[in-house]
Amino acid sequence: MAGGSILTGASTPGQTVASRLVEGVPVGYSRSQEGAIAAAVNYEIARSSARYLTDTGSRERILKTIMASDAAAGQIKEDNAAGARFYSALGLTADTADKLIARASPLGSKVVSYSSEVATVSVWMSGIVGLPTPNAPVPVSASWTTYTLVLVWRDDDWKTSSISVTPGPTPLQTTGQQPTSTDVFTSMDKEFDAPPYVG
């Protein structure tokens, strides 16, 4: 999972940094527009890791952490189904799942609407995912996706009540650069930390 600077203690009115970690995910945001943005971005970073994509138990625990209690079961069912399709499409097995490269980083966020009770935030993410192995069904490839989260203020924190997904915006993907070899991808994935959570 990605890591970042996390403050400890209770949040203050101007604070957007999370106050604690639960299941490796920053939680405990300020009841503000800035707090809602930070929550939305960090929740999507959490949903983009290799562990989230390949480990059903981790995925369910993360969703129970970031979702409102009345929305968790539905999102778990939806993400587990998506995870099974993802596993099949990439040709993952018990022997290859730990080789999966999956990283994502926010390109920007937009507040669609905000009140102290409900906030809707869109997060534009770029990511790479795939197996750095010869003849992989899906080699390490780039993606661009916009996630829109509806957040509700529950139990002194922002919790997600729904998540919708839209492809893109996607840039022109030909830049003149040559694709990186699978060996280099494997090495870089081990040497570089995952993208950090936002403050």
Side-chain angles (χ1 to χ4, degrees):
M1 296 293 295
S5 299
I6 305 299
L7 296 182
T8 58
S11 61
T12 57
Q15 178 183 317
T16 60
V17 177
S19 62
R20 62 192 186 280
L21 291 173
V22 176
E23 292 299 330
V25 182
V27 298
Y29 296 93
S30 62
R31 192 173 190 174
S32 65
Q33 182 167 297
E34 293 77 16
I37 293 168
V41 171
N42 285 336
Y43 293 168
E44 276 312 310
I45 292 175
R47 293 178 69 240
S48 302
S49 71
R51 180 168 71 108
Y52 185 90
L53 295 171
T54 60
D55 186 332
T56 302
S58 292
R59 180 164 56 243
E60 293 184 2
R61 289 191 296 273
I62 289 170
L63 285 172
K64 288 177 181 177
T65 297
I66 69 173
M67 301 298 298
S69 58
D70 57 354
Q75 194 66 46
I76 287 171
K77 181 178 180 181
E78 183 176 328
D79 282 15
N80 280 345
R85 293 191 299 271
F86 172 84
Y87 221 84
S88 176
L90 268 69
L92 291 172
T93 66
D95 294 329
T96 60
D98 63 343
K99 296 180 175 64
L100 178 71
I101 292 177
R103 296 180 178 232
S105 186
L107 295 174
S109 61
K110 178 179 74 171
V111 176
V112 179
S113 63
Y114 175 80
S115 75
S116 61
E117 299 293 335
V118 182
T120 301
V121 180
S122 292
V123 184
W124 181 27
M125 302 279 287
S126 64
I128 59 170
V129 66
L131 284 172
T133 57
N135 305 315
V138 178
V140 180
S141 306
S143 66
W144 288 265
T145 311
T146 298
Y147 299 91
T148 298
L149 288 76
V150 177
L151 303 164
V152 293
W153 187 255
R154 300 270 177 85
D155 302 321
D156 294 321
D157 202 2
W158 290 110
K159 297 291 185 179
T160 311
S161 66
S162 69
I163 304 170
S164 57
V165 184
T166 305
T170 303
L172 181 68
Q173 297 185 43
T174 302
T175 63
Q177 293 177 294
Q178 294 297 313
T180 300
S181 71
T182 57
D183 288 342
V184 172
F185 261 120
T186 300
S187 175
M188 295 287 280
D189 192 51
K190 292 177 180 177
E191 294 173 6
F192 282 72
D193 292 335
Y197 287 108
V198 302

